[in-house]
């Protein structure tokens, strides 16, 4: 027999801030156990080593009774005899399950001694209890009272004996503040008879209860998980409203280093979906594709049902679908936020016009608008009617693209996907395409290749030729690159539009596009203003070449966004593909004045290079990284841990319950407005000091890739995209304050002062 004292694994005492009290409690517990053993030995008149260990077949260990029992009074040849290791710890003590928590090892059977031909099966594990360790963040997955670990034993059909004797060598841990490890052999002999198995009345109810507590294996629950920032979230969905009566849910993974059981555990329950979010462990398992485990669901009457779950790593689409269904079932989805219809439609249209107008001042739109300005300048001597038509086609390109993007967005949301404005920039292959587009346009402006009507001229001439199509597609491109920017007044307009019918939404988005196109539209229809445009001349060549550099800068920015989404390998792959494109265009330009044979050879080689470059879009390395450690990158370049906490709804609730105000910054790497606010306001010394002076905790939610929790918060505040700045007062009963989408230190500090 092995009998040792095993210290419960725990975190650094300096980290917990309670090392000395916990250590004293552990020492006291050890002394108590040893003293109890001595008292029992004295009362029996024997030394501890002589004390009886078995009473009527029950092994009486330290703080636990262990025995081998059977569901039937007899064994029948050819039938399965259900046995169980019965563990009955002292009140306040517990044993462990096969699902590992922060500490403890499961009970296991070292060996069986059975009659020849008999075979014992595996332990059937009941659903355990989520048991926090007092005074710490540790959690164990345990059995707090008596538990039956049932094991089927197959009796040979040709068994001839009159008795069936079984011996199991069992090892277990029983724990309170300390863990006692013991092992023993437990025995059971039952008579053998023909006919049927006769129930053992003494244990019938216990076996029935144990069998009822087994996890359900045949069910309609679908599990998936996603890693975002320093969190791991599990979603369990069912079309049968499996959680309609649920009061609490827990997930027990079969492996360690999958989740950190405490202290973060954010649970959201809807009739058809349960979502559980944990912090990541310090050395989380990498490249997880599937997590096996147990989902425990407690109903309102206290009954617990377990489900064996195999949760797959979620992709962006499935995450968005789950988030959308959750939002709908919680009453905060698209149907629930339609209260915006009470607002004045004319006011919303005015907001959309103003928001679109201000978009022209955003840095993300500047490279494309500079092309339009150059285009208008080149037409200074053209017919007035032609100039006006260019303005009309440019406006049409913007308005139709806004309406097209909005239609796709509304269709996706109607299909259950929780996507918002600029959703396309959450797709890495789309970002990669924009990298190629800006880079190739920059090469064209630099004179590497003059786009015309030949090979590759179709795409380039859309924005650089002199026809009306160039004005139309310049408007298209301006809208696409404007989507990462959210101007003042846009948030209210977009939130309203996405909660209305398709027709009303199209009116709002058309107004937004008209506002963005308005400056050039007015310019093209005003001869007086056109007179103030610079006259065409040689300077335009230099200006055109200079405007290549904003295009390159835009491509570099998009590469940075891509690196955050998919990692450095994907970013380098796209950069290498852009290099292949540059080589292909250079070859085409060089071959344009060569002989027919060389020109055709150059075209073939260039085609191969271009196809090779575009093939990067189908590479696995362009899949979004759901477990991206850099997704919460500090846009100011300062230390991540020092400046903010990653966003978690449960953490906001915890802080507010403790009286701590919270500033939440919902951001994304592709959101230029977000980055500008970071640089000019949120990372400044004045604002940082204001947070410290007011005891405000600063949190960031990164929406660069799809994140279901952030999507849920955006829907809650009727905002379709980032940025979103929420200032939560320390009083949980007080309403949160929504800050403007364009920030200044004065605005933020005034909001702090009004807390």
């Amino acid at each position: 027999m092995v009998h040792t004292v095993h210290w419960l694994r725990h975190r650094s005492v300096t980290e917990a801030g309670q090392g000395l009290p916990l250590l004293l409690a552990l020492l006291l517990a050890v002394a108590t156990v040893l003293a109890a053993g001595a008292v029992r030995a004295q009362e029996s008149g024997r030394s501890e080593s002589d004390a009886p260990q078995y009473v009527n077949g029950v092994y009486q260990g330290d703080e636990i009774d262990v025995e081998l029992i059977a569901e039937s009074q007899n064994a029948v040849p050819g039938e399965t005899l259900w046995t169980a290791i019965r563990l009955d710890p002292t009140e306040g003590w517990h044993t462990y399950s096969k699902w590992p928590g922060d500490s403890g090892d499961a009970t296991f059977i070292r060996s069986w001694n059975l009659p020849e031909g008999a075979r014992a099966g595996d332990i059937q594990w009941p659903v355990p209890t989520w048991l926090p360790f007092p005074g710490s963040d540790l959690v164990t997955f345990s059995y707090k009272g008596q538990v039956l670990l049932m094991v089927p034993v197959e009796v040979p059909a040709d068994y001839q004996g009159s008795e069936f004797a079984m011996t199991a060598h069992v090892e277990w841990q029983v724990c309170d503040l300390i863990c006692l490890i013991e092992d023993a052999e437990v025995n059971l002999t039952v008579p053998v008879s023909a006919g049927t198995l006769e129930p053992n009345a003494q244990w019938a109810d216990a076996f029935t209860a144990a069998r009822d507590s087994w996890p359900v294996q045949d069910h309609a629950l679908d599990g998936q998980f996603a890693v975002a920032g320093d969190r791991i979230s599990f979603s369990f969905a069912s079309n049968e409203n499996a959680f309609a009566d649920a009061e609490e849910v827990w997930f027990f993974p079969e492996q360690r280093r999958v989740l950190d059981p405490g202290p973060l555990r954010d649970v959201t329950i809807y009739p058809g979906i349960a979502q559980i979010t944990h912090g990541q462990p310090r050395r989380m398992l990498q490249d997880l594709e599937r997590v096996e485990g147990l989902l425990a669901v407690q109903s309102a009457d206290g009954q617990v049902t377990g489900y064996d779950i195999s949760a797959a790593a979620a992709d962006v689409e499935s995450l968005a679908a789950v988030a959308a269904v959750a939002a709908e079932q919680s009453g905060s989805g698209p149907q629930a936020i339609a209260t915006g219809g009470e607002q004045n439609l004319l006011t919303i249209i005015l907001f959309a016009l103003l928001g679109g107008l201000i978009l022209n001042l955003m840095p993300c739109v500047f490279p494309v608008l500079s092309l339009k300005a150059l285009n208008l300048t080149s037409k200074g001597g053209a017919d007035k009617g032609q100039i006006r038509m260019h303005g009309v086609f440019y406006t049409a390109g913007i308005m139709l693209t806004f309406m097209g993007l909005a239609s796709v967005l509304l269709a996706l949301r109607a299909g259950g996907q929780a996507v918002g404005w600029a959703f396309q920039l959450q797709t890495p292959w789309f970002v990669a395409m924009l990298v190629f587009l800006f880079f190739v346009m920059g090469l064209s402006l630099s004179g590497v290749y003059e786009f015309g009507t030949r090979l590759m001229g179709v795409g380039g001439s859309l924005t650089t030729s002199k026809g009306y199509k160039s004005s139309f597609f310049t408007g298209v491109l301006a809208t696409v690159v404007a989507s990462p920017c959210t101007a003042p007044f846009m948030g209210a307009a977009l939130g309203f539009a996405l909660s209305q019918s398709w027709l009303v939404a199209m009116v709002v988005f058309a107004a937004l596009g008209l506002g963005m196109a308005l400056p050039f539209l007015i310019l093209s229809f005003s001869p007086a203003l056109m007179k103030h445009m610079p006259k065409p001349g040689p300077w335009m060549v230099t200006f055109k070449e200079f405007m290549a550099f904003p295009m390159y800068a835009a491509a570099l920015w998009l590469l940075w966004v891509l690196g955050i989404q998919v990692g450095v390998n994907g970013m380098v792959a796209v950069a290498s593909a852009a290099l292949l494109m540059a080589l292909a265009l250079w070859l085409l330009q060089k071959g344009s004045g060569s002989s027919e044979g060389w020109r055709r050879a150059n075209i073939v080689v260039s085609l191969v290079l271009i196809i090779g470059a575009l093939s990067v879009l189908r590479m696995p390395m362009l899949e979004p990284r759901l477990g991206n450690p850099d997704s919460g990158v500090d846009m100011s370049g300062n230390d991540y841990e020092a400046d903010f906490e990653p966003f978690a709804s449960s953490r906001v609730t915890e802080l507010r319950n403790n009286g701590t105000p919270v500033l939440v910054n919902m951001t994304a790497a592709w959101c230029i407005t977000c980055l500008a606010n970071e640089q000019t306001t949120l990372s400044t010394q004045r604002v940082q000091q204001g947070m410290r002076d007011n005891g405000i905790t600063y949190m960031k939610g990164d929406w660069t890739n799809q994140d279901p929790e952030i999507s849920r918060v955006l829907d809650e505040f009727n905002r379709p995209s980032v940025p979103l700045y929420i200032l939560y007062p320390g009083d949980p009963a007080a309403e949160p304050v929504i800050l403007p989408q364009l920030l200044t230190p004065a605005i933020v500090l005034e909001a702090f002062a009004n807390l």
Side-chain angles (χ1 to χ4, degrees), residues 49 80 96 98 104 122 145 187 195 262 330 371 396 450 467 473 601 622 636 639 699 702 718 721 745:
S49 60
T80 298
Y96 292 109
K98 75 169 184 176
D122 297 327
N187 307 282
S330 69
L371 289 179
E450 295 294 335
F473 283 100
L622 283 193
S636 67
D639 180 67
M699 305 183 78
D702 184 21
N718 200 15
S721 188

Side-chain angles (χ1 to χ4, degrees), residues 403-442:
M403 295 168 68
L405 286 174
S407 297
V408 174
L409 177 58
L410 289 170
L412 291 174
R413 291 170 71 93
Q417 298 199 35
V419 292
W421 186 244
F423 67 95
Q424 66 274 19
L425 289 170
Q426 291 180 324
T427 306
W429 69 261
F430 185 86
V431 177
M433 286 294 293
L434 286 181
V435 171
F436 296 154
L437 178 61
F438 277 105
F439 183 65
V440 169
M441 289 178 65

Side-chain angles (χ1 to χ4, degrees), residues 148 184 225 298 321 363 413 423 437 463 677 708 713 732:
L148 268 59
F225 69 93
Q298 178 177 298
R413 291 170 71 93
F423 67 95
L437 178 61
T463 56
N677 286 331
V713 174

Side-chain angles (χ1 to χ4, degrees), residues 106-121:
T107 301
F108 70 96
I109 301 173
R110 286 187 178 179
S111 61
W112 282 91
N113 186 5
L114 301 171
E116 185 177 356
R119 189 174 67 86

